[in-house]
Amino acid sequence: MAVRSARVALVWLAIALAAVAASAESTILVGVDSVRFAWTPAAGAPLGYSVSVSYRSGAPIVNHWVTETSIDLPVAPGDRISIAVAAGARDGSGVFRLGAQSPFSDPVWIVRSPRFAASGTWLLQCASCPSLALRSLADASDVVSEGPGLPAPWRVVARAALASGADLLVWRNPTTGELEIWDSEELQPIPGGTALGPRLARAVGSADFDGDGIEEFLLQNLQTNTVSLWALTPGGFERVAVLPDPEAFLAVAEDLTGDGKIDLVWHEIASGRVYLWNVVGDPRVGGPLTSVYQLPSSRLVTGLPSDVRVVNTGDYDGDGQPDLLLRYGDGRLAILYLYAGSVRRFTALPGIPGDVDRSVVGSIDVDGIPGDEIALRDRITGAISILLPAYTSEAARILVLTPGSRWRAVDVSE
């Protein structure tokens, strides 16, 4: 029986994490210790495949026999690895024979994750595994913890201080509107931490409205624009307040003015107007609008294009004041630098090809120099990179981790 060789393609694995991506010339993988190569089945009825492996451009080593159309190989920083396969089957007389060997795959270079003088973790979710993983911010190749997660379509939408001294994960099912709270270190559900929210909604984030050190989770209904506050109570995870509705997109809930009170940044998409409400009372108590908010609102900017969104906050210039990060529809980023809640200047950040596929994970100080950096995730490949906003003359990026396309970085925090 004749057996034709199969064409080798590449997929890769990070430490204890599965990932998938297409082959490319001189692929560079960052922070992984295992690589999976996969190929199309050979014609005929092969019993398996002989795999020849070349490390560091050395002589091929033939020491693998697999019955599947893939193989996982351990790697180390500095490796340059490629493989070739040959299908094996029995001919008409029952004699086992190997078919022609495939060409060697494109080489894969293994690079160590960059080291940072920072504490904190990356949170990654694999919906199809399903799994969660915490990786060190100081060295993204270091898996701090890993455990089973909820399957798709469940997604982690926030990591927040919803209990005293504890960061918790908020899961949301966009199909049903269900919410579920997990411990972010143990990666386990919290007893009683389930609720049913609106199905068509978006997670805004979390904020401590009453100054007790415990945050509330904010959810905006996409049909009504109503923003609801959710908290862990003795009765479970419950809706505890509804904010007055200004018919706008709630972009930020954070202290931007430095008075210790939460500010709400609203974005009117159609008009391009972004403005700020200062929260002076506890929304959970209720009462007249003026008892909760300092009005009139403070205008931040007008005339933004309709494809621009406020996507994050961070102290990007190191002056101790939070700023607003904007993202255009084509992936370009810009910063509204603030001081005491007022705009001082606008700066557009240089972009690079592929930015349209990159989303913002968060803002974090990774180098110990005053000023936050911007964490980005490639929605196609899953690659995580750091953008340095201080270098506005060039698109300075640092590739941190290539966990693969099935893994989604959902949060980064200290």
Side-chain angles (χ1 to χ4, degrees), residues 310-335:
V310 179
V311 292
N312 212 239
T313 63
D315 178 13
Y316 302 115
D317 56 0
D319 66 351
Q321 301 282 324
D323 310 305
L324 299 181
L325 181 64
L326 309 179
R327 185 182 185 275
Y328 290 76
D330 61 5
R332 289 178 297 130
L333 298 173
I335 298 174

Side-chain angles (χ1 to χ4, degrees), residues 58-72:
I61 304 171
V62 183
N63 60 356
H64 298 285
W65 172 259
V66 296
T67 56
E68 304 294 331
T69 56
S70 65
I71 186 171
D72 296 334

Side-chain angles (χ1 to χ4, degrees), residues 114-130:
R115 308 291 179 88
F116 298 111
S119 61
T121 54
W122 298 94
L123 175 63
L124 279 71
Q125 178 193 354
C126 177
S128 59
C129 299

Side-chain angles (χ1 to χ4, degrees), residues 141-159:
S141 64
D142 177 19
V143 178
V144 177
S145 62
E146 183 180 1
L150 295 175
W154 284 91
R155 298 180 70 175
V156 176
V157 294
R159 179 158 54 167

Side-chain angles (χ1 to χ4, degrees), residues 131-144:
S131 295
L132 286 177
L134 288 171
R135 285 174 169 261
S136 169
L137 185 62
D139 180 356
S141 64
D142 177 19
V143 178
V144 177

Side-chain angles (χ1 to χ4, degrees), residues 13 15 26-35 56 75-81 108-115 135 139-141 398-402:
L13 290 178
I15 301 175
S26 299
T27 299
I28 297 176
L29 303 184
V30 180
V32 302
D33 72 348
S34 179
V35 176
R56 301 179 185 266
V75 292
D79 281 349
R80 179 183 184 272
I81 183 173
V108 180
W109 293 88
I110 310 302
V111 178
R112 186 185 304 276
S113 290
R115 308 291 179 88
R135 285 174 169 261
D139 180 356
S141 64
I398 301 173
L399 186 59
V400 173
L401 181 68
T402 50

Side-chain angles (χ1 to χ4, degrees), residues 162-177:
L162 300 177
S164 179
D167 275 348
L168 304 178
L169 305 181
V170 181
W171 290 84
R172 182 174 179 273
N173 187 323
T175 302
T176 63

Side-chain angles (χ1 to χ4, degrees), residues 159-170 181-183 190 206 212-217 230-233 237:
R159 179 158 54 167
L162 300 177
S164 179
D167 275 348
L168 304 178
L169 305 181
V170 181
I181 309 302
W182 283 34
D183 185 287
I190 297 295
S206 60
D212 65 353
I214 299 176
E215 295 180 328
E216 290 76 44
F217 171 66
W230 298 74
L232 280 173
T233 72
F237 191 54

